Amino acid sequence: MRRTTEGRRDEPQGTLWWHDAVFYQVYVRSFADFNGDGVGDLEGLRTRLGYLELLGVDALWLTPFYPSPMADHGYDIADPREVDPTYGSLGDFDALVADAHSRDIKITIDLVPNHTSNTHEWFRSAMAAAPGSAERERYLFRDGKGESGQEPPNNWVSAFGGPAWTRVPDGQWYLHLFAPQQPDLNWVNPEVRADFERTLRFWLDRGVDGFRIDVAHGMAKPPGLPDMDPRVSALSSGDYGDPRFDNDGVHEIHQLIRKVLDEYPQTMAVGEIWVADELRLARYLRPDELHLAFNFRLVLTHFDADALRTTIDRSLAVPMATGAPATWTLANHDVWRQVSRYGGGAQGVRRARAMAVVELALPGAVYLYNGEELGLANVDMPAEAMADPRARTSGPEYGRDVSRVPLPWEGDEPPFGFSRTTRTWLPMPAEWAPLTVEKQLEDETSTLSLYRRAVELRQKHPAFSGDELEWYGAPAGCFAFRRKAGGLVCALNTSASPITLPPGEVLLSSSPLEDGKLPPDAAAWLV
Ligand code: NOJ
């Protein structure tokens, strides 16, 4: 039932469009290239909105499209209130919003409050100014340790690997939790807060429906910037106890953001929050903070029914404690594609299809990552082809470009209608020929057809209503849950043998049934 389930306790029922929405993450660089430079752009996305309407998604999340030297593909922003010429213009953005709205698709965009680019005018003027100046106070400049300040102010490491501090010519150091080209802002400074508020209003006034807040657990730093426990690794950001993230001061910043959003009815914010502890995570969802918090548990759980059941139960503890909707995601631009995580090949695809059926059965908001609906896997690429800063600092095995390759739309060879040039920003594999949107739309058994049917059923069928689940007993390696109010049953088989399904009419299955049984690596819906 589209948009008619319960809302937050303090809101009237049935008014919150995001409560059970299907969001679709558009990695703008890789979605569709209109101007032929090999990089996706806003106009390319606009020309493909018909596809997204067909897929049936409720809302888009656009990755950053702001002016940027692209040290971290746009998460290093030089001006948060403009469009990078690579991606188009503000006029293109306005046209995109208008067109999407006319198709009943909401637009949400990425904001990056934790840091700017080192080419942002604020950072340039901080570099030109003296230690202790107002210009430096917008960032986290500190004197170093040691006799001549030759050692960094503390032992923090960057989430991309390597030290979190870089020294400038006059001897001071500045903090960057990510790449050196992404200096962290000083959120204690009222100017930083005021500027972010301006950015929120700038885009809200242009009609956006919401935001994805990057590193939403990162903006507040602990007083005195104490050393971190050296056992915390660079790449395991977000653990409770890591002084770089999830400091209590961050909540006041979310309250500030929420105050602005509350002035714009029906707008929302979702936080990227790598915090494992459910009680800590729930704090971000208090009624005066974020509307949604990403929950990465499904990304981190392997294909095993018991482990997945625990993940689902733990994830549901957060909405139960807060009244905010659950959120689910199997992939994004920072992690391996699920087909590869589940072992790759035909089995990886079967498992990924099964997990899409599980995910889309769950109550709450679902975030899909562009290309997962085509069953795409990671793309092997030589280290030289990788542009991700994490590949350089932590090693090619940590490079995220493998899941960011441009999408295959049509035709039999690269660039598959993504662009007019074959020189796409990341090379596209010839093996994707059978996986184009064009081919999959024509094939009822394709992964795209499965996603289309699943999204449509989820939105229209009354069996999907209500927020609570109950579990059935199931054979080893399997699970079955039921949406309590609507009655939808979802069964998953991660065992090696076919299983008998619970009673009911089969609405959908991720793989064909075998003699009426659910085969291994498959999931089904029943009513
Ligand atoms: C999270 C983003 O998803 C990731 O791509 C980026 O590198 C970091 N935040 C830093 O902004």
Side-chain angles (χ1 to χ4, degrees), residues 25 27 61 72 75-76 110 112 114-115 160 178-179 182 212 214-215 272 274 332-334 388-389 400 404:
Q25 180 190 353
Y27 194 68
W61 152 27
D72 185 19
Y75 284 93
D76 48 322
D110 222 317
V112 186
N114 184 67
H115 45 265
F160 289 160
F178 295 88
Q182 294 166 296
R212 178 259 190 193
D214 189 68
V215 204
E272 184 213 19
W274 288 89
N332 63 36
H333 63 295
D334 290 330
D388 178 13
R400 296 167 294 177
R404 298 174 174 180

Side-chain angles (χ1 to χ4, degrees), residues 22 55 298 303 308 312 328-331 338-339 341-342 348-362 366-369 371-375 446-455 458 464 479 481 488 490-492 508-511 521-525:
V22 177
L55 181 57
L298 279 183
F303 190 74
L308 287 162
I312 292 170
W328 308 99
T329 187
L330 285 164
Q338 54 269 59
V339 169
R341 286 205 315 271
Y342 300 141
V349 173
R350 278 200 305 277
R351 291 177 168 184
R353 289 169 60 114
M355 285 307 299
V357 166
V358 169
E359 180 182 47
L360 288 163
L362 291 165
V366 171
Y367 277 84
L368 307 178
Y369 175 49
E372 73 166 82
E373 78 279 17
L374 304 177
S446 69
T447 302
L448 176 55
S449 296
L450 176 74
Y451 269 79
R452 283 180 66 194
R453 269 204 310 281
V455 171
R458 177 186 166 87
F464 290 77
F479 71 47
F481 63 76
L488 177 86
C490 176
L492 170 71
L508 181 77
S509 85
S510 65
S511 293
D521 300 324
W525 289 347

Side-chain angles (χ1 to χ4, degrees), residues 8-86:
R8 283 179 64 155
R9 287 185 198 124
D10 53 340
E11 300 269 1
Q13 288 197 1
T15 56
L16 302 173
W17 63 264
W18 57 86
H19 182 280
D20 53 0
V22 177
F23 287 80
Y24 181 93
Q25 180 190 353
V26 175
Y27 194 68
V28 178
R29 286 183 82 71
S30 295
F31 193 72
D33 170 22
F34 184 79
N35 69 0
D37 62 358
V39 179
D41 46 44
L42 296 177
E43 191 57 9
L45 166 56
R46 195 172 71 81
T47 62
R48 297 289 186 182
L49 283 176
Y51 167 71
L52 296 169
E53 201 177 0
L54 213 62
L55 181 57
V57 298
D58 300 291
L60 307 184
W61 152 27
L62 273 56
T63 51
F65 47 80
Y66 317 107
S68 164
M70 307 290 166
D72 185 19
H73 297 332
Y75 284 93
D76 48 322
I77 299 174
D79 179 353
R81 297 180 285 273
E82 245 307 341
V83 173
D84 192 284
T86 311

